[in-house]
Amino acid sequence: MNTYTGKQIAELLNNEGADLNLRTVRYYTQIEIVPPLELVGNKRVYTDQHLHYFRAVLTLSKAGESLASIQETLRSMSDEEVKNIGAQLPLYQSKQIQNQEMHQVNEDVFVAMNRNLSADVRQKVIESVTQILKDHSSHD
């Protein structure tokens, strides 16, 4: 199990392109938006699980969620679900967002595509996803 200090958590996330300082790491820990620190030997430390939670918090906050809403959402999720949300953080980094175009296919499906794709390819992707959804709904 990897263990980290709060400073190391902030540095790791900043190296990934997140904007997080030690004060915020401590604040999120204090308000229990991340799990309580682990006791290893006689020291309280952060673990990889905490790193996943921090990534998930950052992802959801970049998606416009309030901290209270994020806290409630994460409490009802499994560690695997939290990890999956956190894995989406790179999609919300400003450089990525600038290069993406979002298309809403229906109320449940959004497709993000790089702006560098030709309009023809983007249209074919949207048509393909639309067809898949139609095929799926006709089987229900």
Side-chain angles (χ1 to χ4, degrees), residues 130-140:
T130 302
Q131 188 60 50
I132 290 167
L133 292 169
K134 281 180 187 170
D135 292 347
H136 180 72
S137 66
S138 67
H139 291 98
D140 287 346

Side-chain angles (χ1 to χ4, degrees), residues 49 52-53 77-87:
Q49 178 194 26
H52 299 312
Y53 268 83
M77 295 185 147
S78 70
D79 287 345
E80 193 61 30
E81 289 170 317
V82 170
K83 185 177 180 179
N84 289 338
I85 289 174

Side-chain angles (χ1 to χ4, degrees), residues 41-134:
N42 62 352
K43 291 171 77 175
R44 295 197 174 279
V45 295
Y46 293 94
T47 64
D48 288 328
Q49 178 194 26
H50 292 95
L51 204 47
H52 299 312
Y53 268 83
F54 280 108
R55 287 183 184 123
V57 170
L58 291 167
T59 301
L60 293 170
S61 82
K62 285 182 181 279
E65 296 288 325
S66 69
L67 286 181
S69 170
I70 292 168
Q71 189 169 30
E72 192 173 310
T73 299
L74 295 180
R75 279 195 178 134
S76 66
M77 295 185 147
S78 70
D79 287 345
E80 193 61 30
E81 289 170 317
V82 170
K83 185 177 180 179
N84 289 338
I85 289 174
Q88 296 175 47
L89 181 58
L91 301 175
Y92 287 90
Q93 305 302 8
S94 60
K95 191 160 56 164
Q96 285 293 338
I97 289 174
Q98 292 167 5
N99 293 328
Q100 298 300 318
E101 192 171 285
M102 186 70 74
H103 299 274
Q104 185 171 5
V105 180
N106 68 20
E107 66 182 35
D108 297 321
V109 178
F110 291 83
V111 177
M113 289 181 273
N114 191 295
R115 292 180 198 274
N116 296 333
L117 290 172
S118 71
D120 186 49
V121 169
R122 288 196 308 259
Q123 188 58 41
K124 286 179 181 175
V125 169
I126 292 167
E127 289 169 3
S128 298
V129 171
T130 302
Q131 188 60 50
I132 290 167
L133 292 169
K134 281 180 187 170

